[in-house]
Amino acid sequence: MTSTMPDIHQAPGLAAVVQRVSAARTLATVHELARDHYAGRRVGTPGGRAAAAWLAERLRELGGEAELDSFPVADVRELYATPVLEWSAGGQALRLEHRRDFAEHLASAELPHPHTAPLAAASEGDLRGRWVLAEAGDWAQACERAEAHGAAGVLTARGTDAEGWMPKMIAGPAARAVPIIALRADLHARLADALAAGPAQVTGSMPLRQVTADGHNVCARFPAPSRAESAGSGPRLLLTAHYDGVGDDPGVRLPAAADNASGVAAVLEAACVLAAVPALRAELSVAFLDAEETGAWGSAHHAPALPADTLVINLDGAAHLHQAASVEAGGPAHALLATLDQAARLVGVPLRAGAMASDNRRYAAAGLAAIGIGMGMPGYQTPAETPDRVQPNTLLAAARLLVATTWLLSSRSTG
């Protein structure tokens, strides 16, 4: 969509504003939100609420009128203890590592304590009381047979990311009547070979339950006194980023530095810079959204309350810009997209069209002009998603792009 060559000299007023963007401030926000204190920022947890309170205070310090807007969230998957999976076959035993070798399947029934039983192939006739090894890609049918025959549970195959992790998720299909454990694909094949060679026994647990939680959006308006005369004369612009994560595993940190402390940091920095621009005519608001990881319920709650002419830019991930930022436009966003593209040219941020399945879609579904932007999430939803993997230059690029887009929208309203 855009070239990589900055052309900001064409807009000298913007150049001065963009130079105020601080990498140090954005990195400090990432490190803060990734602290142990926030425990991965899962919706409905003390850590999530603490993150919301911290962000609200930062927005107030910038002059924003900030408040917390609460809403209910159902069917959040909560892993309350470390699952167990081990098997023995041919005189050998293997104990597997959670999130490296196996992970929770989101449709699993709760199995609080380890249960030991013989293993059976899904095609066998007698499944009662046995762990069932599903064929690859056929977990649902295996579950149906396991439920019908009183099986102990189902083992299915699942892939890993490029670094060998099984990313954590906390929203999914309705729970089945049997426990389901997702086994790394190569280990699933290895277990199938062991079963074909002779009897095998499996011990597994899945301490996974569904809970109802309260989400908290952090919403702020910036009606700076110096802009009182221009109030209502400019476009309504809403900058958003979700602050929630999937939460820590029991005893294991998932700091959620990229998804989405990085996006929050860039939006907060853009607000910091823009709040200090007295000539800004855009009616600027910021929303830090909760419960994106459970189905984007924070934006679903927020979108219906907005005026129909609100322009929305959502940033989900600003940690590692590779060749270009991914951009998805929805709703009546043609003009907003054109402005974003111009801003990207001015500040030298390459853009490309790409799917952004995030909060922007909830705003677009409500009929608003909405754009989603993503700039990379290294270590996505695993213990490897640490602050040191968030690139300062990407944070700068994201914040500058938001500032430049807002500045262009504001300057056009003065004509």
Side-chain angles (χ1 to χ4, degrees):
M1 294 175 65
T2 66
S3 68
T4 60
M5 295 300 294
D7 202 16
I8 202 166
H9 65 275
Q10 294 185 3
L14 173 60
V17 174
V18 164
Q19 290 305 313
R20 300 173 192 166
V21 174
S22 166
R25 284 195 298 257
T26 53
L27 278 173
T29 298
V30 171
H31 280 271
E32 172 65 29
L33 292 174
R35 285 176 51 210
D36 294 356
H37 175 65
Y38 302 106
R41 308 188 306 276
R42 200 208 79 195
V43 61
T45 62
R49 291 190 293 273
W54 185 84
L55 289 167
E57 186 58 30
R58 301 291 78 72
L59 290 168
R60 293 185 187 111
E61 289 174 353
L62 299 179
E65 297 175 352
E67 60 181 16
L68 299 183
D69 185 14
S70 301
F71 56 94
V73 184
D75 299 331
V76 180
R77 271 58 167 187
E78 181 178 75
L79 194 68
Y80 56 88
T82 302
V84 170
L85 183 61
E86 54 188 63
W87 84 66
S88 57
Q92 295 186 333
L94 183 65
R95 185 178 180 89
L96 305 182
E97 181 182 351
H98 179 236
R99 211 153 301 287
R100 282 292 195 181
D101 301 325
F102 75 100
E104 58 279 5
H105 191 289
L106 294 174
S108 179
E110 184 178 6
L111 181 62
H113 306 294
H115 180 79
T116 301
L119 181 66
S123 58
E124 292 186 31
D126 181 15
L127 301 180
R128 182 167 299 278
R130 305 172 78 179
W131 283 98
V132 177
L133 187 65
E135 295 183 8
D138 202 15
W139 69 271
Q141 184 174 350
C143 285
E144 291 175 4
R145 295 206 68 230
E147 290 165 346
H149 293 273
V154 172
L155 303 179
T156 187
R158 178 182 164 182
T160 66
D161 67 11
E163 298 174 355
W165 292 100
M166 291 183 172
K168 182 178 182 178
M169 294 174 284
I170 57 173
R176 304 296 301 240
V178 292
I180 313 169
I181 299 177
L183 184 62
R184 204 176 72 206
D186 62 309
L187 291 172
H188 181 274
R190 180 176 166 186
L191 183 54
D193 290 342
L195 180 61
Q201 187 161 272
V202 169
T203 299
S205 70
M206 189 45 61
L208 182 72
R209 60 192 171 200
Q210 295 188 27
V211 299
T212 297
D214 289 328
H216 302 279
N217 289 337
V218 185
C219 304
R221 293 176 59 254
F222 286 88
S226 56
R227 296 186 212 131
E229 294 181 1
S230 64
S233 63
R236 302 178 194 271
L237 181 63
L238 172 66
L239 303 180
T240 67
H242 78 89
Y243 70 89
D244 65 304
V246 293
D248 289 350
D249 280 343
V252 178
R253 290 295 335 278
L254 278 80
D259 182 24
N260 186 32
S262 64
V264 169
V267 169
L268 185 63
E269 179 60 17
C272 177
V273 171
L274 292 166
V277 179
L280 191 71
R281 285 184 174 269
E283 295 185 27
L284 180 65
S285 297
V286 169
F288 292 129
L289 302 164
D290 204 355
E292 192 272 348
E293 301 294 356
T294 59
W297 292 112
S299 49
H301 173 74
H302 188 226
L306 298 177
D309 61 348
T310 304
L311 308 176
V312 183
I313 301 178
N314 179 67
L315 182 59
D316 197 351
H320 191 171
L321 182 61
H322 295 283
Q323 295 181 344
S326 295
V327 176
E328 177 181 303
H334 179 77
L336 178 59
L337 183 61
T339 304
L340 179 77
D341 187 67
Q342 182 186 1
R345 294 176 188 275
L346 290 173
V347 298
V349 178
L351 306 180
R352 65 174 177 83
M356 279 300 302
S358 186
D359 289 300
N360 46 286
R361 294 186 177 180
R362 292 291 198 175
Y363 291 107
L368 304 174
I371 289 177
I373 304 172
M375 296 187 182
M377 297 179 179
Y380 174 71
Q381 295 182 181
T382 73
E385 194 185 333
T386 50
D388 60 289
R389 304 188 69 182
V390 176
Q391 296 180 337
N393 286 343
T394 301
L395 290 170
L396 282 174
R400 287 171 174 170
L401 180 60
L402 297 176
V403 168
T405 303
T406 307
W407 189 89
L408 289 175
L409 290 168
S410 174
S411 63
R412 287 173 183 171
S413 73
T414 65

